[in-house]
Amino acid sequence: MMSEVMFDQLIEKGVEEFLAEEVIQWGLEHFKDGLVCANSLGAEDVVILHMLAQLEATIPIFFLDTGLHFQETHVLKKAWEERLGRSLITLSSTLSLEEQALQYGERLWEHDPNLCCTLRKVIPLRNYLADQKAWITGIRREQAPTRRHAKKIEWDANFQLVKLNPLADWSTTQLWNYIKEHDLPYHQLHDQGYPSIGCSFCTRPVKAGEDLRAGRWSGYEKTECGLHGHG
Ligand code: SF4
């Protein structure tokens, strides 16, 4: 298992200058086993899927299935699985939605979204990452104030492993230029005003001038699922 001390010995100067593909390559070289990629099929995630394919990286790619995603998300997932020639690993809660409703009340996302995210996202992810050394995510500093300090390669104190954020310094323009240039399949809801897409009940389109993640848990203090947080 990785520790923060081991990570400090591993990390080199200059990694912040790495291009996105070089961040992934660094992860592949340092964590032959134990490097995994989170993927929720957002715009950032399809770029990373493409980069992994270009690098011929066969690391596990996982999708956190809360059971509450938009239908379009599943359609896109299937399209990418066909394109990649392999299935994404599905992580889900051991608690079905019916069991969750019985134990914690109907529509938990409305009266306690933090608990709902903990049950449906954080616990399954924590269990999975416990056996890994490093994970790749699609977070970008520009997405939200909570992500503005994200480094390209960092120690994830929350889940106790190394975290690679190859797109940390990418702008939204850069992201979409890449998607268009490579003609990548992307989430249909991005064209309907949703820059960030999560579960259907907790995501709305954003208005002009709003934060890119303003459509997530709109009306609540909450801005993150509990998977990422950089202060
Ligand atoms: S995003 Fe909403 S529905 Fe999905 S797990 Fe979190 S609170 Fe529940």
Side-chain angles (χ1 to χ4, degrees), residues 14-214:
V15 292
E16 274 303 315
E17 310 307 318
F18 283 3
L19 298 175
E21 291 89 343
E22 291 170 336
V23 173
I24 298 173
Q25 193 66 54
W26 186 92
L28 293 169
E29 283 164 14
H30 287 80
F31 308 105
K32 291 197 172 44
D33 299 308
L35 175 65
V36 295
C37 178
N39 212 283
S40 59
L41 286 310
E44 293 79 7
D45 300 303
V46 302
V47 167
I48 288 182
L49 287 177
H50 182 257
M51 288 180 177
L52 287 175
Q54 294 298 105
L55 292 167
E56 298 182 12
T58 54
I59 60 167
I61 304 167
F62 66 89
F63 173 74
L64 260 172
D65 192 351
T66 59
L68 296 160
H69 288 285
F70 290 98
Q71 187 51 33
E72 290 89 340
T73 306
H74 294 288
V75 170
L76 182 60
K77 175 171 172 280
K78 193 159 185 295
W80 268 99
E81 286 177 332
E82 278 166 16
R83 188 179 170 123
L84 296 170
R86 62 173 169 138
S87 299
L88 306 196
I89 294 167
T90 298
L91 305 185
S92 50
S93 173
T94 53
L95 209 59
S96 70
L97 287 167
E98 293 73 24
E99 288 165 340
Q100 177 171 300
L102 275 174
Q103 264 182 261
Y104 300 101
E106 294 286 344
R107 301 179 73 84
L108 183 59
W109 48 89
E110 286 179 1
H111 56 91
D112 194 344
N114 284 331
L115 178 59
C116 187
C117 273
T118 297
L119 294 170
R120 310 218 69 75
K121 293 183 176 180
V122 179
I123 293 175
L125 180 66
R126 190 176 295 286
N127 289 341
Y128 182 68
L129 292 183
D131 296 327
Q132 315 301 339
K133 293 179 185 148
W135 66 314
I136 299 174
T137 87
I139 68 172
R140 294 186 298 119
R141 293 173 195 143
E142 205 184 74
Q143 285 171 319
T146 47
R147 300 182 176 191
R148 66 172 177 251
H149 299 302
K151 296 186 181 131
K152 292 188 182 174
I153 304 177
E154 62 188 1
W155 177 249
D156 184 339
N158 188 16
F159 293 106
Q160 294 289 305
L161 78 172
V162 178
K163 187 172 182 182
L164 310 184
N165 306 310
L167 308 182
D169 62 345
W170 277 38
S171 67
T172 302
T173 305
Q174 204 175 349
L175 183 74
W176 283 99
N177 283 348
Y178 187 101
I179 290 172
K180 301 287 181 201
E181 187 185 327
H182 296 281
D183 196 21
L184 304 184
Y186 64 88
H187 207 296
Q188 289 175 19
L189 292 181
H190 286 316
D191 289 338
Q192 295 172 40
Y194 294 78
S196 174
I197 302 162
C199 296
S200 59
F201 295 120
C202 299
T203 311
R204 67 154 172 82
V206 303
K207 301 180 193 107
E210 281 188 323
D211 188 284
L212 292 174
R213 287 177 61 83

